[in-house]
Structure formats: structure tokens, C-alpha cells
Amino acid sequence: MSAEFEPNVVAFLCNWCSYAGADLAGTSRTHYPPNLNVIRVMCSGRVNPLFVVNALQQGADGVLVSGCHPGDCHYMEGNFYARRRFTLLRELLEYVGVEPGRFNMSWVSASEGAKWKDVVGEVTQKAKEAGPFKQFRRDKINW
Amino acid sequence: MNNKPKIGVYVCHCGINIAKTVDVEAVTEFASRLPNVKVVRNYAYMCSDPGQLLIREDIEKEGLNRVVVASCSPRMHENTFRKTLAAAGLNPYYLEMANIREQCSWVHEDRDEATAKAKKLVYAAVVKARLLEPLYEKEVDVEPASLVIGGGIAGIQAALDIANAGFKVYLVEKTPSVGGRMSQLDKTFPTLDCSACILTPKMVDVANHPNIELLAYSRVEEISGYVGNFAVKVRKRARYVDVDKCTGCGICAQECRLAGRIPSEFDMNMGKRAAVYLPFPQAVPAKYTIDPERCLFLTRGKCGKSPKCADACASGAINFEQQDEIVEFKVGTVIVATGFDTFDPARKPEYGYSDYANVLTGLELERLVSASGPTGGAVVLGEGENAFVPKDIAFIKCVGSRDKSVGNEYCSRVCCMYTAKLAHLVQEKVPGANVRVYYMDVRAFGKGFEEFYDRVRREGIRYIRGNPSEIFKRGDKLVIKVEDTLAATPLEDEVDMVVLAVGLEPRKDAREIIDILRLSQSADRFYLEAHPKLAPVDTATDGVFLAGCAQGPKDIPDTVAQAKGAASSALVLLSSGKVKIQAQISFVNENTCRGCGYCVEICPYGAIDLVAVNRMGNPVQVARVNEALCKGCGACAAACFSGSVQQKSFMDRQILPQIAVLGVMK
């Protein structure tokens, strides 16, 4: 892939930990690549696996789902559901030939601004290495 | 009329916080070309009064029915702008925010890149705003009563505060008397107040308070419902003594055939009691209880010719036919004040607690030095001819605390000071005693603690830095093997008595309350507060609060402070009489729901039930959300096969367009 390729990453963040952690990264003035855009949900347990597939269909080159650390879920169990669902989804995606680097999960707490910076860097880098994703691509926006 | 979206987009400069890296004018121009956008403005500080006024005026004059604010994080100002919308007569949930500060201008350096990203975020916010629906915060009534679980100092204090404010309190205590651990203490650090003297008046207040219903010797069996409306089921265990007739005279205990033969739990099994007993002299309620596991009549059906307690009781209070009683009531709030267990030093076999009678725990020594204890306050070990007064006495700190090998990484916060207190008391009671303390660190952090630590050292108590590795017996003496780490010298210290400053642990039965109230545990296994700093008495379950050591180790002043905090939090709900419930909750499209029940299973709050409905003449089952129980996590919405369960403000059809924008737009 050419060095100029800039991937497009869609991230689903839970309101209580990861979104707050991402806010903290900003408050602490850390710097990370601008390729990742966030959709806020209340809990990683809200993220339907179809959202991930949909993002890949809509043109995203990478997807991230991030929630509270297992055991720290604001809603007690939501991230456990997320973990189970996305472990399965990851296998499914690999099975249908999607590069493993395109789909990522992370656990970032409200106090881990520095970790969020690292996660964004890593996820962006992986998507960059995987290159533009065209396999599921639809031709036009469909909502 | 209102259905066609007319969106106002407001881009904030945030001084230079946003404007420095994001071209606000370019974002404004971009937003003006987005679908359904009627007004776009940018302003230095949208959150300021003039900024908010801009939005209000546009809503009123331009007829806006959706608002997008591109500024800081919604975690910062979502509430501010919701109020702005409400003030202009618009439903506050017609607001969507684009976070172009914390997640854009502050984290990117390149102005073009940051501006491009801000445009995307605004676009995604606009497409979601088009699809927002009005939401209404519902209110439910709060039952003007509170349940307090646990009758230690935390529960007592919380119950008294709530009762004094004029609300009914049900105080449930598992053992026959309130008082808890504090009642077992002789003196309290650092002031050396007599523990019983300051506690017993409060215990009596609890029993006499017209607003407190004391349910001692009882267990909470079930709690259902939600904030404001908890239904509680309590099992009052049979005491086999009619509390209305019992005068507390104690003749039954004197007459009991097992008198002086059963280890007293209150005296840490060092003193003895009868099968019918009062746990300690100041017990509240001052009513006797027959121990069903010990009483000869209850265990064997026979106690001599007839039970002597029943024969002796002048008021006829003994009743072997008594049954457990189930009490049910409703409360608006719950306070969990179930306390702690002390660490069992048998789990550190190197200290020989199980092997040597002269190795004691702090709480055991506490009973020995107490005037109401088994020795009447004399520090005497052994019995009869073997009784002796220990002269060489060593304390070992951090037993079961700050120790990964037993799974307790935390500091128990009280052992440093109770060790200093007990060392002082022992030295006072045993003339010529030679007292030393083996420690890792001394943490004297509270009010008056450092001064007290200083005082006991001046009194001649030696502090030796070192963590003993082993205790063994040599002749009549116990030998402590330790390295003095300040002098870098290995020692073998011969002593008469070793006191283990055991730490605090979550109760062994902590799981019961977790199952009943769906509480969480933190990494140290104590109950988890909603936020370690800003919500230290709240739990993830609305209306349920924590007080005392159930939440983590703490001393008496901290426990009382937290109990007062929990009571105050409960009173906010009780005195307002109403509680607002989450608006962004789940709902079910009953026309498409197939009643599989997967959402019912997945809901962490038990907020979804299957109900029978009639669908075009056919009886079917569909899911239904209890709006007061739902916390709005959306786990059900992600689990639903047919998309029938959705979360308000986070519906599939609101999220998918955001995905499309962010995915496609470069």
C-alpha cells in the first residue's frame, strides 16, 4: 500500500469509560492521528455487531469498539456481552477474509487518556497496513 | 408541522481552544450546506449566557426544532444546552453535540486535518439530529421509608439520621443485638474514648426511636423493585423467647444446663455463655435468645425432665414453639451497612495462630483488656494453674493486609492505630511490660493519629521495622524470627504473647447482599461505590447507598461520616418525594416482538418481562420494559434479533446514518 493512504476508522465508545478516557486524552493535550471518528453509545453492550459490519460496508477501513475494563462496566455486565459478541464477530470476519487488523476491541477507563492515545495510534496503524477496504463496500450512502 | 427538521448548528470557538486548530468559519460554511440545516452560527463561547441566548432566540424566531452544538464534550455541557432548549420551549432531547474540542482540536495539530475532522463530526451530528425524537423524563413517587441493613455503628448512625428527619426506618440486624464490631472494642483510638460509653446511648436511641423499627436477629431475604419503590422481605428468626414477655432478667441463662459451656462469639470465643443468652450486657434489644444450634431441648428434643430456662422464667417468655416470621414492607431507599470480617490468621500459618494459644488477634486482645471481657479486663493468658501475665509482648502489623500472597493488596487503615492503642492499653495494664511492634510502615494519617503514635513511642513502646517470617516455640517462649530492616540485623525475639494486627476483609456472606441488590464488588471485593471520588456512598443501583466498612476498610469517624453521607443521600430522595427516571431508556415495538425473551435474559437490571398480549386475536408473548428499572445501557437493543427492542436516542436508525457519514466521508 502506498504511504499516503489515510484510513478511515469508525469507533464506538461507551459513555462512561472510553468516551471519558478519550475526553481526558484531549484535556491532557495528547496528540494522535485524526483518522478515527467516534460514535458515542451509553455502553459497549449497545453495539450491535451489525454496526461493525455496517461501518465496513459504508466505507470504513477499520472499526474499534471500546468499553470499560471487564468488571468495571457502569451497567455491570454490558462489556461482558460486548466481549463475547465481538470475539465471535472477529472470528467471523477473519473467516470471511477480512484482515484481522481492521476490527479492534479495547478497554479504556475514564482515567486512561494516555492509553486512548496509544489505542488510536495502534488502530490507525493497523488499518493503514491493511489498506483501503473494498470487500463489503456499498456504492452509495444508504440510510 | 414540527415533523420536518429545522436544524440550527452552533459552532463554538471556545476562545482559542477550538478556533486555534479548527477553522471555525469553514466548519460553519460547511454546515450551512447540510440537509435540513436552517441556521448556522459560530460564537466565542456557546456555553456563555449570550451564546445560549443565540440558540434560544433562533428557536423562538426561526422555529428551529433541532439543535446541534459543536463544541466541547457532551459530558461537559450536554446538560447546559438541554436546559437552553427547554428554556426556549423545545424538548431538551432535540439536542445533539459534536465534540470538536476534547476529541478534535485538543488532540490534533494540523489545522487542515482538524478542520476536516470537525466537519465530519458536525455532519454526523446533523444526520443524527434529524432523527431525534422528543423524550420525557418521568417521575415516580418515593415511598417515605428507608431500609438499613446492618446494625453496627454505620447502620445505627444512618438509621438515626433518617429517623430524626421524620422518615420511617427499618433497621435489620442479623445478630440478636445491634452494636456491631464497635461494641466489642474496649477503647477507641486516638482519644481512648470508652467505646461502649459512646456507642450504647446510640443503641438505646435506635430501640426507642418512634420512627425506627428494629428487626434484630433478622435477615433480608429479598428486595425487588426500583428506586423509590423497593419491596422488602425480611425473615425474623425465632428467638424461642417472647420478646414482649422477656424482661431481660437473665435467670434463664443462669439456670441453663449449658451455662458457662458455650464459647461466646462476642468475646471472640474466649468467654463462655449459656444456650440462652444475651450477647453482651448492654445488648439492644435487651432480650434473650435461645441458640437453636446449642440448646439441648431444640437439638435433642429433651433437656432433663423439663427445660430449666422455661421453669425459671417468671414471665413465661420461653416459647419453644416459636416460628420464623416473614415481615414484608416497602421502602424508597436502601442503605447497606453490613460491615466487615477480620482476617483469619490461620491463613498465615507461619504465625502459628492455630498452633499456639499465646498468639492472639487484635480483636481477641481487645476483649481481654475490656472490663466487660472474659477476664474482667486483666491481661491474663491461660487458665487455672497455668494462668500467667505476659511480660514480653510483640505486635505484628499488616497481617492479611498489603499482602498479595493472601489476595489482599489493600491497606486496612485501622490496624496501625489499633495496634498503637492496644500497645498503650497493655502497657498500662501490665506493669513492667516490654512491648514492641513489628511493622512495615506506620500510617498515622487521621486527625490526632500522628500525635497518638508519637505518644505511645514516648511511653516506651518500641517500633521495629521488619516483617516477621516465622513464629515458633522454644521452651515457654514464642520466638519471632524477623529482620530489623533499618539495622539490617536478623533477630530472634523471645516473647510471651504475640498479637496479630489482622486486617479487615469483606464479609464471608457478602455475596448474599450482592445477589439480593445486584451490587458490584471492587477489586478488593468490598462493595463498589458508583464513583470512587464523586459518588462514594452511591451504588450503580439508584436508591441504594453504602455506609461503613462494607464499602472498604475505615475507622469509626470515617464510618460515621460515610453513614451520615448515605443518610443524607437517602434523604434527598425521601424528602423530595419524587424521583426522575432516565429518559434514554429502552422500549419495545410490540407489533414486531416475537417474544423470544433474549432481552429478558440479557438485561442486567431485570427491567424486561415477557407479558401476554392479544395480537390480532392471537394470544402472544411480547417483551415489555419496566421504565423505572431500565438504566438505558442498550444491551437489549444490541441483542434483539428483530430490532424490536430499541434504546431511545440510540436507536439503530439514529446510529446507522452516523456510521454512514463517518465511514464514507474522507
Side-chain angles (χ1 to χ4, degrees):
Chain A
M1 238 357 97
S2 79
E4 277 88 55
F5 169 66
E6 288 297 336
N8 216 3
V9 181
V10 175
F12 299 92
L13 268 57
C14 83
N15 179 61
W16 304 99
C17 293
S18 293
Y19 196 89
D23 278 355
L24 179 65
T27 312
S28 324
R29 308 298 201 278
T30 56
H31 292 286
Y32 54 74
N35 308 58
L36 178 144
N37 287 289
V38 170
I39 293 176
R40 181 172 69 116
V41 288
M42 294 313 277
C43 178
S44 55
R46 169 65 187 100
V47 184
N48 192 319
L50 291 176
F51 291 175
V52 175
V53 176
N54 191 270
L56 292 170
Q57 287 178 320
Q58 302 282 15
D61 305 303
V63 180
L64 168 71
V65 176
S66 189
C68 307
H69 285 271
D72 289 349
C73 178
H74 184 79
Y75 303 103
M76 301 188 291
E77 299 161 6
N79 56 1
F80 290 136
Y81 296 135
R83 186 167 63 176
R84 264 188 246 167
R85 284 175 189 147
F86 292 113
T87 306
L88 285 174
L89 180 72
R90 172 178 287 167
E91 285 182 23
L92 180 68
L93 290 175
E94 276 180 43
Y95 178 73
V96 299
V98 177
E99 296 85 345
R102 294 201 190 276
F103 174 65
N104 298 276
M105 274 187 287
S106 69
W107 315 116
V108 176
S109 82
S111 60
E112 293 177 328
K115 181 173 179 189
W116 173 247
K117 170 198 154 92
D118 293 344
V119 167
V120 177
E122 203 177 299
V123 168
T124 306
Q125 186 55 34
K126 281 190 193 167
K128 203 174 261 188
E129 280 163 15
F133 184 67
K134 297 200 175 112
Q135 197 178 338
F136 292 177
R137 195 82 168 253
R138 289 180 185 174
D139 290 320
K140 55 181 182 185
I141 300 180
N142 180 5
W143 65 63
Chain B
M1 43 155 227
N2 236 1
N3 291 337
K4 195 169 160 42
K6 287 186 205 164
I7 305 175
V9 179
Y10 298 86
V11 188
C12 182
H13 295 241
C14 194
I16 58 159
N17 280 303
I18 292 170
K20 191 180 160 201
T21 27
V22 170
D23 184 344
V24 171
E25 293 298 339
V27 174
T28 309
E29 192 276 329
F30 169 80
S32 68
R33 291 184 280 116
L34 293 175
N36 303 94
V37 172
K38 184 147 190 233
V39 179
V40 189
R41 293 186 201 281
N42 60 63
Y43 188 72
Y45 292 101
M46 283 314 307
C47 60
S48 66
D49 282 348
Q52 292 187 53
L53 194 63
L54 281 178
I55 301 176
R56 281 180 61 172
E57 284 179 354
D58 285 347
I59 293 170
E60 283 156 9
K61 290 185 189 143
E62 304 285 336
L64 299 182
N65 54 19
R66 307 283 194 282
V67 172
V68 170
V69 181
S71 60
C72 51
S73 169
R75 292 176 55 88
M76 185 90 177
H77 271 314
E78 193 168 52
N79 262 333
T80 313
F81 293 116
R82 275 192 187 152
K83 282 182 192 149
T84 313
L85 267 63
L90 192 61
N91 186 286
Y93 290 88
Y94 276 135
L95 170 77
E96 183 65 22
M97 289 185 76
N99 185 346
I100 61 167
R101 192 179 73 171
E102 281 87 343
Q103 296 184 14
C104 186
S105 73
W106 277 350
V107 288
H108 306 313
E109 288 169 301
D110 186 282
R111 193 170 165 83
D112 291 340
E113 285 176 359
T115 304
K117 181 170 168 182
K119 286 179 184 172
K120 271 173 97 163
L121 292 172
V122 169
Y123 193 179
V126 166
V127 295
K128 182 169 180 190
R130 300 200 315 175
L131 300 161
L132 288 175
E133 291 179 3
L135 303 184
Y136 303 92
E137 289 164 353
K138 289 190 182 158
E139 281 189 336
V140 294
D141 288 333
V142 176
E143 187 74 29
S146 199
L147 164 69
V148 178
I149 309 173
I153 181 60
I156 288 172
Q157 187 62 56
L160 284 174
D161 280 11
I162 295 170
N164 284 337
F167 294 95
K168 173 96 186 166
V169 178
Y170 298 89
L171 176 59
V172 178
E173 165 59 37
K174 195 174 70 172
T175 69
S177 169
V178 295
R181 296 290 181 191
M182 187 176 168
S183 64
Q184 291 178 285
L185 307 182
D186 177 41
K187 300 276 190 327
T188 57
F189 62 77
T191 51
L192 300 177
D193 281 300
C194 155
S195 187
C197 312
I198 55 178
L199 176 65
T200 46
K202 283 184 187 283
M203 291 163 59
V204 174
D205 283 353
V206 159
N208 293 339
H209 204 294
N211 286 342
I212 298 180
E213 185 167 335
L214 174 57
L215 299 162
Y217 208 48
S218 302
R219 291 192 93 106
V220 176
E221 289 218 321
E222 206 179 300
I223 298 178
S224 57
Y226 46 87
V227 55
N229 296 274
F230 294 105
V232 186
K233 200 193 253 185
V234 172
R235 175 178 295 268
K236 260 178 104 167
R237 294 174 61 197
R239 282 178 185 257
Y240 304 102
V241 170
D242 185 334
V243 291
D244 294 328
K245 290 183 183 163
C246 176
T247 61
C249 68
I251 292 174
C252 52
Q254 284 167 22
E255 292 299 316
C256 175
R257 289 177 212 276
L258 295 177
R261 291 167 66 180
I262 299 171
S264 155
E265 297 85 354
F266 182 79
D267 278 334
M268 303 305 292
N269 300 329
M270 295 187 297
K272 298 283 193 285
R273 61 168 170 85
V276 56
Y277 68 108
L278 198 62
F280 55 103
Q282 306 95 327
V284 170
K287 307 288 179 187
Y288 277 73
T289 305
I290 295 180
D291 184 342
E293 282 159 22
R294 296 290 190 154
C295 170
L296 294 174
F297 190 80
L298 286 172
T299 52
R300 301 177 189 175
K302 200 169 177 332
C303 174
K305 276 183 184 153
S306 67
K308 287 177 86 175
C309 54
D311 295 344
C313 183
S315 47
I318 306 287
N319 174 10
F320 287 107
E321 303 299 311
Q322 208 177 58
Q323 299 286 320
D324 288 1
E325 195 186 327
I326 300 293
V327 186
E328 293 186 62
F329 49 87
K330 288 196 83 176
V331 295
T333 60
V334 179
I335 292 178
V336 178
T338 46
F340 64 93
D341 275 340
T342 50
F343 176 78
D344 176 7
R347 281 159 59 196
K348 298 281 290 177
E350 61 270 35
Y351 291 155
Y353 176 74
S354 310
D355 305 325
Y356 310 125
N358 302 352
V359 179
L360 274 63
T361 67
L363 206 48
E364 286 166 354
L365 179 62
E366 195 83 53
R367 293 313 304 149
L368 271 193
V369 296
S370 168
S372 70
T375 58
V379 182
V380 179
L381 295 176
E383 280 172 44
E385 285 175 17
N386 296 327
F388 75 105
V389 176
K391 291 276 181 192
D392 280 305
I393 298 160
F395 287 81
I396 298 175
K397 295 214 290 192
C398 294
V399 178
S401 310
R402 305 175 66 196
D403 186 349
K404 282 184 191 167
S405 72
V406 295
N408 294 345
E409 229 181 311
Y410 55 87
C411 165
S412 290
R413 295 173 59 98
V414 294
C415 329
C416 276
M417 294 319 288
Y418 85 58
T419 299
K421 172 194 73 181
L422 287 170
H424 163 87
L425 293 175
V426 165
Q427 203 177 42
E428 195 178 64
K429 293 200 174 227
V430 182
N434 185 0
V435 183
R436 53 275 211 185
V437 177
Y438 289 99
Y439 71 100
M440 285 202 274
D441 292 293
V442 176
R443 295 182 167 176
F445 49 81
K447 192 172 182 174
F449 287 12
E450 185 67 28
E451 295 90 323
F452 186 70
Y453 167 50
D454 225 35
R455 169 180 163 184
V456 300
R457 274 186 305 165
R458 270 188 277 115
E459 288 169 352
I461 286 154
R462 285 191 298 134
Y463 274 72
I464 302 161
R465 190 167 182 273
N467 204 357
S469 58
E470 196 183 353
I471 292 172
F472 55 90
K473 202 147 191 168
R474 183 184 290 154
D476 288 342
K477 294 277 192 179
L478 291 169
V479 181
I480 300 173
K481 227 178 149 164
V482 61
E483 182 190 342
D484 180 338
T485 52
L486 291 180
T489 318
L491 300 173
E492 284 196 355
D493 189 8
E494 292 199 346
V495 298
D496 302 316
M497 174 168 87
V498 175
V499 184
L500 304 176
V502 289
L504 275 44
E505 282 198 323
R507 291 186 62 91
K508 284 171 195 71
D509 55 7
R511 194 74 231 171
E512 278 180 31
I513 299 291
I514 290 175
D515 292 340
I516 288 172
L517 278 170
R518 292 169 170 268
L519 296 181
S520 308
Q521 289 165 292
S522 38
D524 55 15
R525 309 182 315 284
F526 288 97
Y527 296 144
L528 179 68
E529 64 282 351
H531 189 281
K533 291 182 180 62
L534 300 179
V537 303
D538 306 61
T539 66
T541 310
D542 285 343
V544 178
F545 305 98
L546 302 175
C549 292
Q551 181 256 342
K554 50 183 72 67
D555 61 10
I556 294 167
D558 284 1
T559 295
V560 171
Q562 199 188 21
K564 284 182 159 290
S568 145
S569 297
L571 282 169
V572 169
L573 291 169
L574 297 175
S575 58
S576 70
K578 298 260 181 208
V579 60
K580 270 194 183 163
I581 53 172
Q582 259 291 5
Q584 295 175 324
I585 55 174
S586 294
F587 66 98
V588 180
N589 180 345
E590 294 188 2
N591 292 321
T592 56
C593 173
R594 62 183 200 182
C596 68
Y598 195 43
C599 54
V600 177
E601 255 176 64
I602 209 169
C603 178
Y605 302 98
I608 310 180
D609 288 314
L610 285 180
V611 294
V613 296
N614 189 310
R615 186 187 287 159
M616 294 190 288
N618 301 310
V620 292
Q621 292 228 306
V622 296
R624 191 170 285 168
V625 177
N626 181 333
E627 300 193 337
L629 281 180
C630 176
K631 296 273 192 120
C633 67
C636 50
C640 181
F641 293 111
S642 59
S644 303
V645 187
Q646 290 291 324
Q647 184 188 3
K648 292 174 183 174
S649 284
F650 295 93
M651 294 190 271
D652 287 353
R653 65 186 196 84
Q654 293 168 328
I655 293 174
L656 291 172
Q658 286 182 288
I659 297 174
V661 166
L662 296 181
V664 166
M665 200 181 144
K666 290 284 177 183

